Amino acid sequence: MAKNDRIFRISKRIGRFSLDRRVIVILILAALFVAGRAYVAEHPEDNPAAPLDLNDPKGWATQTKIMSLRDDVPECRAVLERSGVAFTALDPAGEGECARPDRLRLGDYPLTPSRPPMTCPVAVGLELWQRDTLEPLAQEIFGSAIAEVQHLGVYSCRRLYGRGSGAWSEHATGNAIDIAGFRLEDGTSINVLGDWDGEGDKARFLREARDGACDAFATTLSPDYNAAHADHFHLDMDGRWSSVCR
Ligand SMILES: [Zn+2]
């Protein structure tokens, strides 16, 4: 009798222990769930469902959100508005391979010699590049701000490298921009052709600017890629993120 009583008490204890363990696991999961919800509420950049705001820091969901803008012009324009980026929406233009249903002109980006029409995702890329890379880099290396981002053009109705056949360039739809150099508020002039090589501040600026562009654009090509890019960075928003970053 005494023995049975002891076995009963032991099994009861084991039973209670396994019940306690289940309660503990449930409590831990609940705590993780609550903490996770609180985290994504405070970190929209890590929440794929939160609307993109270019003023938020970059998170692991940012790139996916930018890529989804390619197929959603209204949402892309809403992102610019939400982020306080000035722009003018333009009517569609062109036809065939060079049809440009998505065209806008940025309001006060320091592009020179003009602010050409471009797709909304390219505008988003330029904004991110300026905020996250160009401005902090210019301040860090030269203690000055960006006055000009010098470009060689956006739209060009042509195939890759101007060939007679083969794939069309992202320039054919205004979904790419070529950047030749920069001028800073203090007068410093930095250009890809003349300053890429070497170890100086300008070369460092260009290399880090290129690396930063890889975080803002789907494709980034620099002089490291080939001789055709010796004098400019080619930045575009094709459908494959970081297909090339060189
Ligand atoms: Zn290009």
Side-chain angles (χ1 to χ4, degrees), residues 61-127:
T62 308
Q63 225 166 60
T64 312
K65 287 188 219 177
I66 293 171
M67 285 312 277
S68 73
L69 301 179
R70 275 176 49 86
D71 306 315
D72 192 342
V73 177
E75 174 54 20
C76 185
R77 291 178 179 176
V79 167
L80 292 178
E81 279 166 12
R82 190 181 302 132
S83 309
V85 176
F87 72 95
T88 306
L90 303 174
D91 289 337
E95 54 190 27
E97 298 290 350
C98 298
R100 285 156 289 141
D102 172 17
R103 295 200 314 146
L104 61 78
R105 197 187 300 280
L106 280 168
D108 47 29
Y109 202 89
L111 281 172
T112 188
S114 63
R115 277 190 222 109
M118 61 185 66
T119 61
C120 182
V122 168
V124 166
L126 284 173
E127 286 293 330

Side-chain angles (χ1 to χ4, degrees), residues 1-2 9 24 27 39-40 42 44 72-73 77-78 86 94 106 127 130 147 152 186 188-189 208 215-217 229 242:
M1 189 64 194
R9 239 181 288 143
I24 288 167
L27 284 175
Y39 178 84
V40 293
E42 276 177 38
D72 192 342
V73 177
R77 291 178 179 176
L106 280 168
E127 286 293 330
Q130 183 183 19
L152 299 176
D186 68 4
T188 303
S189 177
E208 292 188 22
D215 291 334
F217 291 90
H229 296 85
S242 284

Side-chain angles (χ1 to χ4, degrees), residues 16-232:
R16 194 185 303 147
F17 176 66
S18 67
L19 182 71
D20 287 351
R21 203 161 54 174
R22 249 177 290 156
V23 168
I24 288 167
V25 167
I26 289 167
L27 284 175
I28 289 172
L29 289 175
L32 285 174
F33 178 72
V34 169
R37 275 176 62 110
Y39 178 84
V40 293
E42 276 177 38
H43 298 269
E45 68 275 18
D46 293 331
N47 177 6
L52 179 60
D53 187 321
L54 303 180
N55 299 304
D56 290 336
K58 206 166 283 171
W60 64 260
T62 308
Q63 225 166 60
T64 312
K65 287 188 219 177
I66 293 171
M67 285 312 277
S68 73
L69 301 179
R70 275 176 49 86
D71 306 315
D72 192 342
V73 177
E75 174 54 20
C76 185
R77 291 178 179 176
V79 167
L80 292 178
E81 279 166 12
R82 190 181 302 132
S83 309
V85 176
F87 72 95
T88 306
L90 303 174
D91 289 337
E95 54 190 27
E97 298 290 350
C98 298
R100 285 156 289 141
D102 172 17
R103 295 200 314 146
L104 61 78
R105 197 187 300 280
L106 280 168
D108 47 29
Y109 202 89
L111 281 172
T112 188
S114 63
R115 277 190 222 109
M118 61 185 66
T119 61
C120 182
V122 168
V124 166
L126 284 173
E127 286 293 330
L128 285 174
W129 193 35
Q130 183 183 19
R131 289 171 196 218
D132 295 340
T133 301
L134 298 180
E135 285 296 350
L137 199 55
Q139 288 297 341
E140 183 196 331
I141 299 180
F142 299 99
S144 186
I146 299 280
E148 289 179 1
V149 176
Q150 299 155 347
H151 73 92
L152 299 176
V154 170
Y155 169 67
S156 173
C157 184
R158 60 174 172 80
R159 295 173 197 267
L160 289 178
Y161 299 103
R163 291 175 188 140
S165 61
W168 286 81
S169 164
E170 291 296 317
H171 286 289
T173 50
N175 198 34
I177 185 165
D178 293 336
I179 303 295
F182 307 87
R183 196 176 60 77
L184 308 186
E185 297 282 1
D186 68 4
T188 303
S189 177
I190 306 165
N191 75 85
V192 177
L193 183 63
D195 298 315
W196 180 259
D197 291 322
E199 301 295 324
D201 285 345
K202 293 182 181 181
R204 184 186 151 206
F205 177 90
L206 288 172
R207 280 158 202 286
E208 292 188 22
R210 186 271 313 272
D211 292 348
C214 295
D215 291 334
F217 291 90
T219 296
T220 300
L221 306 178
S222 75
D224 276 349
Y225 183 64
N226 63 16
H229 296 85
D231 65 350
H232 70 275

